[in-house]
Amino acid sequence: MPFREFTFHENTIQLSIPENNHEIWAKLWGSSGILIEILHTIPNLENLKILELGCGLGLVGIYAAKCGAQVTLTDVSEHTLHHAKLSATATGVLQNCTFQKLNWTDSVAQEFLAKFDLILGADLLYLSKNLRPLVNVIQRTIKKDGSVVLVDPGRCFWEEFMEICEDVGVGIEVVRETNVRTRICLSKAVNVFLGGEAVGRSVVERVLKELKVDESDVGERAFGYCWGDSERPKQIKEIRDFLTTARRKDAKIVRIKKNGSQYKFKVRCAKYLYTLVLSDAEKAEKLKQSLPPPPGLVVKNIDA
C-alpha cells in the first residue's frame, strides 16, 4: 500500500492514499491543510477528546493524534476508515485513535452523546441535503463547553449552513478569506466556521492572513465547488414565481435578508432552495405581506 509523507510543524504523518481511485473518499481535500494550521494554535491539544466528522483519509485526525489528543475519526465509508487506520498505524498513533463508521442521518450512538471537547471537519458542506444532519450531529456530540472548527473552500451552501445553525441554536460564526495557500492546495476562497472558545476569531484571521498569497499568483484555479448543479440554489427572477413556490405544500421556511439596498428571499422546499433578489423596498415589503401565514410557512427576517 503506497504511503505519502506529510510534515506539519515537525509532526510527520504517513498517509495511505489509494492509487488510481477517483472516488470522493480517496482524495486528499485541501481544507485539511488549513485546519491543521489552525489546530497548531490550540494549546494543550493533548488534553482534548476530539471528534473528526467526514475524516476522509484521516490527515487532520491523525495530526491531532500525533499532537497527543485522543481522536475519534468518523466517516460514512468503511474504505476511508480502513485507509485512515493504516495511516495511523504507519504514523505510530494508533493508540490515540478510534475509528467509527458514522452516517449523519442515523441516530448518534449513546457513547458519543455530549462527549467531545472539540469537533473538527474539513470540506463537509458540499451537499445541501447533508447540512441539517451535520448540524444535528454537532449539536448532539459536543460537550456543553465544547468547541467546533470547520473549514470549507467557499462553497455556495455556507449561508444556508449558518441559517440552520441559527435555527437550532448552535452558536457558529464564520471567518472568510481569499487566496489562501497551504502545502496541499491553493484556494480562492476559504470559510472557517467557529463555535466555542478553543480557537478565537482573531487567531483564525491571523492564520489565514499568514497563508494568504497575492492575487496574481492565484490564476484561474478555483477550489470551492458544489457537488452537482442540481444541488445549487435555484434562482427565481419573478415575484409571482417566488410566491407560487412559497405556496407549495413542501415549502417549509422563508428567510428574508437585507444587505444594503438589496432584499434576498429564500424559500426551502423538500429538494431545493429557491432564491429571489429584489432592489425595490416597496416590492420587497409587498412580497413579504403576500407570503402564506404560519403555521403552514415559517417566515424569518435575518440581519445582514
Side-chain angles (χ1 to χ4, degrees), residues 34-302:
I34 298 169
L35 186 49
I36 285 174
E37 295 301 325
I38 294 171
L39 276 179
H40 180 65
T41 70
I42 300 178
N44 303 317
L45 203 62
E46 68 276 6
N47 296 330
L48 301 182
K49 289 184 178 179
I50 294 176
L51 172 66
E52 184 180 8
L53 298 172
C55 70
L57 295 175
L59 181 62
V60 172
I62 292 171
Y63 173 82
K66 187 75 171 177
C67 294
Q70 295 297 314
V71 185
T72 299
L73 296 91
T74 65
D75 202 283
V76 72
S77 167
E78 292 181 351
H79 296 292
T80 292
L81 294 172
H82 171 71
H83 282 274
K85 191 170 184 178
L86 290 175
S87 299
T89 302
T91 306
V93 295
L94 187 61
Q95 70 280 4
N96 285 5
C97 297
T98 301
F99 302 88
Q100 179 69 46
K101 184 177 180 180
L102 178 61
N103 187 327
W104 300 340
T105 60
D106 293 341
S107 298
V108 176
Q110 185 68 33
E111 63 267 25
F112 279 13
L113 297 178
K115 175 181 179 179
F116 296 98
D117 303 298
L118 179 60
I119 296 178
L120 304 174
D123 289 274
L124 302 182
L125 309 186
Y126 55 88
L127 283 176
S128 176
K129 66 182 181 181
N130 286 347
L131 299 181
R132 194 168 291 275
L134 169 61
V135 173
N136 179 59
V137 170
I138 291 171
Q139 192 176 32
R140 302 200 67 192
T141 56
I142 193 170
K143 285 184 177 179
K144 186 175 181 179
D145 58 348
S147 299
V148 181
V149 184
L150 308 179
V151 180
D152 186 79
R155 292 191 177 94
C156 60
F157 299 129
W158 75 272
E159 289 182 300
E160 184 181 356
F161 173 73
M162 295 290 289
E163 290 165 1
I164 293 171
C165 288
E166 181 184 11
D167 283 348
V168 301
V170 174
I172 294 284
E173 62 175 326
V174 62
V175 181
R176 310 192 73 201
E177 188 54 89
T178 57
N179 305 339
V180 173
R181 183 192 297 277
T182 71
R183 67 196 60 197
I184 296 175
C185 76
L186 172 64
S187 181
K188 277 193 171 184
V190 172
N191 294 332
V192 180
F193 302 92
L194 301 173
E197 299 181 357
V199 185
R201 182 183 185 93
S202 61
V203 172
V204 173
E205 289 174 344
R206 188 189 74 236
V207 169
L208 294 181
K209 287 188 183 303
E210 289 175 352
L211 297 174
K212 189 175 176 67
V213 297
D214 187 83
E215 178 97 29
S216 61
D217 293 335
V218 178
E220 295 301 317
R221 182 178 179 184
F223 182 54
Y225 74 98
C226 292
W227 186 249
D229 290 339
S230 63
E231 289 290 332
R232 293 180 181 272
K234 304 293 184 180
Q235 185 73 44
I236 295 176
K237 295 183 178 181
E238 299 294 335
I239 291 176
R240 64 176 179 274
D241 294 333
F242 189 88
L243 278 172
T244 299
T245 304
R247 289 168 179 159
R248 284 167 37 176
K249 289 183 178 181
D250 64 337
K252 301 300 182 184
I253 185 169
V254 170
R255 294 182 174 88
I256 306 168
K257 183 176 182 180
K258 185 177 184 297
N259 189 2
S261 62
Q262 288 192 327
Y263 297 82
K264 190 168 188 177
F265 289 76
K266 301 179 183 179
V267 57
R268 162 57 66 186
C269 295
K271 187 173 182 181
Y272 297 117
L273 177 71
Y274 298 87
T275 65
L276 169 71
V277 178
L278 298 174
S279 299
D280 187 310
E282 185 177 349
K283 288 183 178 180
E285 183 60 29
K286 286 183 178 180
L287 173 55
K288 181 179 176 181
Q289 297 302 322
S290 301
L291 292 169
L297 186 72
V298 176
V299 179
K300 287 192 172 186
N301 288 284
I302 301 172

